[in-house]
Amino acid sequence: MKVMNKRALGLSAFLVGGAVVLAGCAGGGGGESSGGADNGGDSGAAENTLTVWVDADRERALQDVATAFEEEKGIAVDLVVKEYEDIQQDFITQVPSGEGPDITIGGHDWTGAFVQDGVVAPVELGDKAAEFEEVAIAAVTYDGNTYGLPYAIENIALVRNADLVPEAPTNFDDMIAKGTAAGTQYPFVVGLNPQNSDPYHLYPFQTSFGNSVFAQNADGSYDAANLTIGDEAGQQFATWLGQQGAAGVFNLNLDGDLAKEAFNAGQAPFFLTGPWNIADAVDAGVNVAVDPIPSAGGQTARPFAGVQTFFLSSQSENALAANEFLVNYIATPEVQTALFEAGGRAPALTESFEAAQADPIVAGFASVGAEAVPMPSIPQMGAVWDDWGTTEVAIIQGSDPVSSWTTMAENIQGKIG
Amino acid sequence: MTIPTLDTDDRASDRRADPATEKRRRRAAAFADAASAGWKVWLFKIVALGIVDAMAIYAILVLVVQEQWVIAVAIAVGVVVLNAIYLIPGLLPAKYLAPGLVFLFIFQIFVVLYTVYIAFTNYGSGHNSDKEDAITSLLQQSQTRVEDSATYPVQIATRDGEFFLVVEDPETGDLSVGGNEMPLESISSPEAAGYDVLDFSQILANQAEIGALTVPLDDDLNDGYLRTTDGSNAYLFQSSLEWDPVADTMTDTETGVVYRDIGTGAFTADDGTEILPGWQVWVGGENFVRAVTEESIRGPFIAVLVWTFVFAFLSVATTFVLGLFLAVVFNDPKMKSRKYYRVILILPYAFPAFLSALIWAGMFNQDFGFINQVLLGGASIPWLLDPILAKVAILIVNLWLGFPYMFLVCTGALQSIPDDIQEAGRVDGAGVWQVFRHIKFPLLLVSVAPLLISSFAFNFNNFNIVYMLTNGGPRFADASINVGATDILISMVYKVAFVGANRDYGLASAFSIIIFILVAVISYVSFRQTKVLEELN
């Protein structure tokens, strides 16, 4: 019935002056014409139906949870499948129009934009917070509140072809030496691109010098007023990056796809990447091992952690039901494990996280993830990425590291005010 | 619905004395004619209108529930007009035009008007909705749980239509009850004190009121208040912002700073600091002013504007020259198996431009690309990294994607030029070049010139190729917005509006209007010029 409802809504929107589209627009919903049929907006018609935006992978795992929840609590859960790439923008534009969902999945790094646009409500985890991995809670914490319920942690690690190099490297230079000794075409590959390198993938080397983009507060959230990227440690990293660029270790033209191809073809023993490239490597017959990221500057190399999160809409008319669903259902080991099995990313709930360690590849990524720092979710981060990437490109190509790096820090500071 | 059937033979009767009766009879007869001749048409008309009306009423109901009055009225008026057009006899042009006009209005005029409206607002990151939503969000966000406070198991109870929290002390298990502005007081059991405890379904039915319950812990408000987010547990919160609905101010309870609505779309303190989220307000021409005066936007904007013209002009020129050359060559009857060559030449045009651009991007890769590796024998030319070369690369790819179109239109135009004119030229002793220069080319331009103008307009906004090939890079290091050397206006607008954390729909809409004006003026002037060519025939 609900489906019919949405169809009718879509049709009427289409035929009779795009009513729903216009309504969305009139409510300040933005110019994105959502044909109606694909945006599970609850137009006040369905009492006690939770609308949840998910992507196709997550839908299968959540289907059973939704059924169980409905049986026990009498609240229907309407899972609306959307393209992951569209969710952030659609959520921001549709929540104010009253057409948005009650809950959506997303990446924790969207939090800042969501809070700034006033489309998410805090989720009070209460004592449950202690049952999650620390990095997951830190990731969804913003301005002293937890926004959303984390369900998966994702980070990069050093992936090694165990047939070419039998043991893990101790540090960066050791890795290059081992890789060179393996006699393959490349000692080490990482996906970069000539426009803006890839600050995300290079970040663990940066943190191994003790540098970070912003200073972290006590609760793990980032302090936008304290940009630390240009400090002494950052300049040391820049110098090191310049040296490696001159030595030809980082090839800007070797993009993610080419790096993956090289590793899968056995042309490189080491590949710095995330869990998303493992399946293909295994299919290509690579004997995959996952190691900690080797340190370049002497300290622990901490990559960014991306935390997959369920966000709660600030305009939800079912806030109590939604909280019930999130805190008392999604935050249970069974559900977190089911989501892990659907998506292959380490669960955020400690109990499920530990259970998932049975798989050595997950365990490898997770042990790196335990050292990871949450990707900053503050809106100011948007001003950082561009300059950061282009500066790393310039340094790898041979411009003066320290002056480029400090200029970059000044530019970023100028933009975030 | 019954259709009255009249005996149409009645028309032959001789009661013609009363003109009024006669008029009525003629009307009735016309109605009857329409009804009897085309009852299927009538039936279809009624069913179709019925469906449209039903949907309109449904849409209006939905809109009224959402309190979108303007749109609801617009739809109501539109539907009444539609019904009138199709039910009143006559109005034939309107009957044909109406469907098209409806779609024109929805998909063109409305979009244009809405873009214009957005260009005069501050819609974008941090100004995403209306003031009411912003206040709700601010208050939601300002409530933080008191650190290390306990979790209080609660039940929801009701008395005299009001809702109350029945709170169990987490340590002693003693019960107490409290409501809005009614601090906790001890009770032995809720029933004894005259409260009815709600079950989960009743809680769900009253989510809004229960979610909004704030129960002071005791008489001192600074100790915080209890709120429940799931109906079974309550937590102790403190609020860092206080909204005064009368004075319309937000007060920071910790620092005492007062934030006021000064018309800029966000609560602002006296020293100018804003708290976000704000809301959408009308800002007049500010976005246009920013586009042309703000140094960090103006610099790149002018560079992008110049490149957009250069790109559009060179794209048209190069594709036209190559397409025309090939068309002339393959139009020569002496050429064997022309058909097959023509098919091959169309291929780049048949292949999706999106994919072509992506493949070209790979081929231009400095170290691994086909062009450097194979064609240039392992050269290391930074095709997409150098501002000048990236522009050249874009033009090359656009030439590849665009020449088949020009080839097609030129072939068509050439074949429509009568042979006898060319014969006449040759008889008069003109060479091949002169025949082309003085006869073929001017006649060809008559039909092709408008297409060149539309091709210019298309390339002016050729978003796909820029986005897929270089994504606008290499980036300008000194610009405050994310733009690069190969960005054209439309890709810059896209980045301003939809890329990164700071989206600015207002500025992007202002740029869109500027683009519209530019394209419109150029097209108008060009079409005026091409009128001269038509004198040739």
Side-chain angles (χ1 to χ4, degrees):
Chain A
M1 191 61 235
K2 180 78 179 140
V3 174
M4 275 311 298
N5 223 354
K6 270 187 294 196
R7 285 255 168 79
L9 201 71
L11 259 171
S12 70
F14 194 73
L15 282 170
V16 196
V20 177
V21 181
L22 302 193
C25 297
E32 137 114 14
S33 58
S34 50
D38 64 344
N39 74 340
D42 54 332
S43 36
E47 200 54 51
N48 292 340
T49 298
L50 278 182
T51 308
V52 185
W53 282 358
V54 290
D55 61 351
D57 287 348
R58 248 60 65 166
E59 194 222 3
R60 287 186 292 281
L62 280 172
Q63 204 67 61
D64 302 343
V65 187
T67 314
F69 186 68
E70 186 168 359
E71 280 170 11
E72 188 167 339
K73 296 283 179 186
I75 305 165
V77 179
D78 181 21
L79 298 176
V80 179
V81 179
K82 287 185 73 88
E83 284 293 322
Y84 187 81
E85 290 73 31
D86 301 340
I87 290 179
Q88 184 183 8
Q89 201 64 46
D90 287 0
F91 192 73
I92 288 175
T93 50
Q94 290 185 24
V95 165
S97 70
E99 287 294 314
D102 297 301
I103 295 170
T104 182
I105 63 157
H108 85 271
D109 48 315
W110 304 350
T111 312
F114 280 176
V115 172
Q116 183 180 292
D117 282 339
V119 292
V120 279
V123 174
E124 190 45 65
L125 296 172
D127 305 340
K128 284 249 175 184
E131 299 172 21
F132 284 89
E133 289 293 298
E134 235 170 89
V135 69
I137 294 297
V140 296
T141 302
Y142 185 91
D143 255 357
N145 277 328
T146 46
Y147 288 92
L149 187 125
Y151 69 90
I153 307 170
E154 180 176 86
N155 55 272
I156 54 173
L158 186 69
V159 181
R160 172 168 52 93
N161 184 333
D163 293 338
L164 294 172
V165 175
E167 60 206 28
T170 52
N171 62 29
F172 190 85
D173 294 337
D174 181 47
M175 174 180 77
I176 299 299
K178 281 193 162 80
T180 312
T184 49
Q185 188 175 351
Y186 308 99
F188 155 78
V189 286
V190 56
L192 301 175
N193 75 66
Q195 301 287 359
N196 53 9
S197 70
D198 195 328
Y200 172 85
H201 278 90
L202 296 177
Y203 193 65
F205 304 129
Q206 193 172 331
T207 51
S208 74
F209 285 87
N211 178 250
S212 65
V213 182
F214 290 99
Q216 271 180 291
N217 299 323
D219 63 3
S221 60
Y222 286 86
D223 180 4
N226 195 347
L227 182 79
T228 53
I229 195 166
D231 65 13
E232 185 78 21
Q235 292 165 25
Q236 286 172 4
F237 163 70
T239 309
W240 173 85
L241 190 67
Q243 291 162 357
Q244 300 302 323
V249 171
F250 293 121
N251 184 337
L252 289 169
N253 294 304
L254 193 82
D255 66 19
D257 293 334
L258 291 165
K260 176 175 156 177
E261 248 170 68
F263 180 77
N264 291 356
Q267 293 169 342
F270 296 109
F271 183 19
L272 183 63
T273 189
W276 49 87
N277 277 332
I278 295 296
D280 287 348
V282 173
D283 290 344
V286 176
N287 180 3
V288 173
V290 181
D291 301 329
I293 302 171
S295 168
Q299 303 182 31
T300 312
R302 299 173 190 275
F304 276 136
V307 175
Q308 291 288 316
T309 308
F310 284 90
F311 290 106
L312 172 63
S313 158
S314 62
Q315 301 281 325
S316 169
E317 288 166 4
N318 283 321
L320 287 185
N323 268 300
E324 178 74 20
F325 181 68
L326 290 180
V327 178
N328 300 333
Y329 273 77
I330 303 290
T332 55
E334 298 78 34
V335 175
Q336 294 259 332
T337 303
L339 286 167
F340 157 67
E341 281 160 3
R345 315 248 196 282
L349 194 72
T350 303
E351 189 180 328
S352 304
F353 180 82
E354 279 161 5
Q357 308 296 309
D359 179 344
I361 286 174
V362 176
F365 279 108
S367 66
V368 177
E371 300 285 346
V373 285
M375 197 187 300
S377 61
I378 44 180
Q380 286 80 357
M381 198 64 195
V384 176
W385 289 111
D386 281 333
D387 290 87
W388 196 10
T390 41
T391 304
E392 287 185 350
V393 168
I395 291 173
I396 289 172
Q397 288 177 331
S399 68
D400 178 60
V402 174
S403 71
S404 309
W405 196 258
T406 46
T407 308
M408 169 196 79
E410 283 160 19
N411 282 348
I412 296 172
Q413 191 65 60
K415 283 181 196 180
I416 60 183
Chain B
M1 173 93 200
T2 54
I3 300 173
T5 49
L6 291 177
D7 185 357
T8 44
D9 290 343
D10 244 20
R11 257 186 273 180
S13 83
D14 48 4
R15 280 183 299 162
R16 295 180 184 207
D18 182 4
T21 323
E22 177 58 24
K23 210 167 162 186
R24 263 212 310 278
R25 280 170 42 78
R26 268 216 308 274
R27 274 230 307 267
F31 184 72
D33 266 356
S36 59
W39 65 270
K40 282 182 186 159
V41 177
W42 259 99
L43 191 67
F44 174 76
K45 200 185 269 190
I46 284 160
V47 170
L49 274 179
I51 290 172
V52 170
D53 290 357
M55 284 180 179
I57 289 165
Y58 175 73
I60 289 169
L61 287 176
V62 169
L63 288 165
V64 167
V65 166
Q66 294 184 0
E67 297 181 357
Q68 304 285 359
W69 307 114
V70 178
I71 311 290
V73 168
I75 289 180
V77 170
V79 163
V80 169
V81 169
L82 267 184
N83 281 310
I85 287 173
Y86 287 105
L87 291 176
I88 296 170
L91 298 178
L92 203 61
K95 283 188 169 65
Y96 280 99
L97 286 175
L101 287 175
V102 167
F103 285 108
L104 179 78
F105 184 81
I106 299 168
F107 293 109
Q108 290 277 325
I109 297 177
F110 171 76
V111 174
V112 170
L113 290 178
Y114 190 68
T115 306
V116 173
Y117 162 74
I118 292 293
F120 291 93
T121 68
N122 64 354
Y123 184 29
S125 290
H127 302 277
N128 193 43
S129 189
D130 57 15
K131 188 170 175 179
E132 198 183 329
D133 283 354
I135 290 167
T136 310
S137 289
L138 283 171
L139 294 178
Q140 270 182 357
Q141 292 169 12
S142 70
Q143 294 177 337
T144 44
R145 192 176 160 196
V146 177
E147 270 182 53
D148 304 325
S149 62
T151 303
Y152 297 83
V154 290
Q155 294 169 305
I156 313 294
T158 170
R159 190 175 71 177
D160 308 333
E162 301 249 337
F163 293 99
F164 299 90
L165 287 183
V166 178
V167 183
E168 187 184 319
D169 190 285
E171 286 160 20
T172 61
D174 293 343
L175 294 181
S176 47
V177 69
N180 278 331
E181 300 182 14
M182 179 186 121
L184 288 181
E185 47 189 50
S186 287
I187 49 169
S188 54
S189 80
E191 290 78 8
Y195 294 94
D196 300 323
V197 176
L198 301 184
D199 63 18
F200 193 67
S201 62
Q202 290 169 304
I203 291 175
L204 287 181
N206 301 292
Q207 287 185 69
E209 294 94 332
I210 293 166
L213 269 182
T214 52
V215 180
L217 198 61
D218 48 41
D219 292 335
D220 184 3
L221 279 179
N222 293 333
D223 287 348
Y225 45 86
L226 290 171
R227 272 184 57 238
T228 180
T229 52
D230 56 6
S232 52
N233 287 313
Y235 304 102
L236 192 59
F237 289 93
Q238 277 173 325
S239 182
S240 58
L241 279 180
E242 210 164 72
W243 185 52
D244 181 346
V246 180
D248 195 17
T249 57
M250 284 273 179
T251 309
D252 189 321
T253 52
E254 284 159 34
T255 59
V257 177
V258 179
Y259 297 87
R260 291 183 181 80
D261 175 5
I262 54 168
T264 52
F267 285 107
T268 314
D270 294 338
D271 65 356
T273 46
E274 293 187 337
I275 43 177
L276 292 178
W279 55 93
Q280 284 178 57
V281 290
W282 181 265
V283 294
E286 196 181 295
N287 289 315
F288 294 91
V289 173
R290 269 178 62 203
V292 291
T293 58
E294 205 167 294
E295 189 53 50
S296 58
I297 298 177
R298 188 181 59 191
F301 176 59
I302 290 171
V304 167
L305 186 69
V306 170
W307 162 240
T308 307
F309 277 103
V310 170
F311 164 75
F313 177 78
L314 286 179
S315 292
V316 174
T318 52
T319 54
F320 179 59
V321 167
L322 183 61
L324 178 61
F325 171 75
L326 291 169
V328 171
V329 168
F330 288 106
N331 211 26
D332 196 318
K334 292 198 285 284
M335 183 112 190
K336 293 264 190 310
S337 30
R338 284 178 300 166
K339 247 193 275 180
Y340 302 105
Y341 289 122
R342 278 186 181 152
V343 169
I344 291 168
L345 282 179
I346 307 298
L347 281 181
Y349 189 46
F351 205 73
F354 255 87
L355 289 172
S356 292
L358 271 180
I359 289 165
W360 276 93
M363 289 180 14
F364 276 120
N365 185 309
Q366 188 179 352
D367 289 353
F368 305 96
F370 181 82
I371 293 172
N372 279 349
Q373 287 291 334
V374 180
L375 299 184
L376 303 175
S380 180
I381 300 170
W383 283 108
L384 302 178
L385 304 187
D386 176 83
I388 304 287
L389 282 174
K391 288 175 175 170
V392 171
I394 283 217
L395 286 170
I396 291 173
V397 176
N398 216 17
L399 175 60
W400 165 260
L401 290 173
F403 84 85
Y405 170 75
M406 292 297 183
F407 168 72
L408 279 176
V409 299
C410 291
T411 300
L414 282 173
Q415 289 175 346
S416 66
I417 296 173
D419 280 341
D420 51 357
I421 305 182
Q422 301 177 44
E423 289 293 333
R426 282 203 204 99
V427 168
D428 288 347
V432 175
W433 172 247
Q434 281 174 310
V435 168
F436 174 79
R437 172 79 189 71
H438 294 291
I439 297 173
K440 278 192 197 173
F441 190 65
L443 286 173
L444 177 120
L445 270 189
V446 174
S447 53
V448 176
L451 295 173
L452 293 182
I453 295 163
S454 62
S455 173
F456 181 90
F458 169 81
N459 278 306
F460 201 88
N461 287 330
N462 194 342
F463 175 83
N464 291 358
I465 187 171
V466 172
Y467 182 76
M468 298 315 272
L469 190 69
T470 62
N471 199 1
R475 192 170 161 263
F476 293 133
D478 53 351
S480 77
I481 45 180
N482 166 19
V483 288
T486 55
D487 261 321
I488 54 175
L489 283 170
I490 190 77
S491 65
M492 179 171 102
V493 168
Y494 173 82
K495 286 179 177 176
V496 169
F498 300 114
V499 177
N502 290 314
R503 305 168 325 277
D504 194 337
Y505 301 129
L507 185 63
S509 299
F511 278 137
S512 303
I513 291 170
I514 293 171
I515 293 175
F516 168 76
I517 292 169
L518 286 171
V519 174
V521 168
I522 293 163
S523 301
Y524 175 75
V525 171
S526 315
F527 278 119
R528 285 280 302 271
Q529 295 294 323
T530 58
K531 284 227 170 84
V532 177
L533 288 168
E534 286 168 21
E535 304 300 312
L536 284 172
N537 278 358

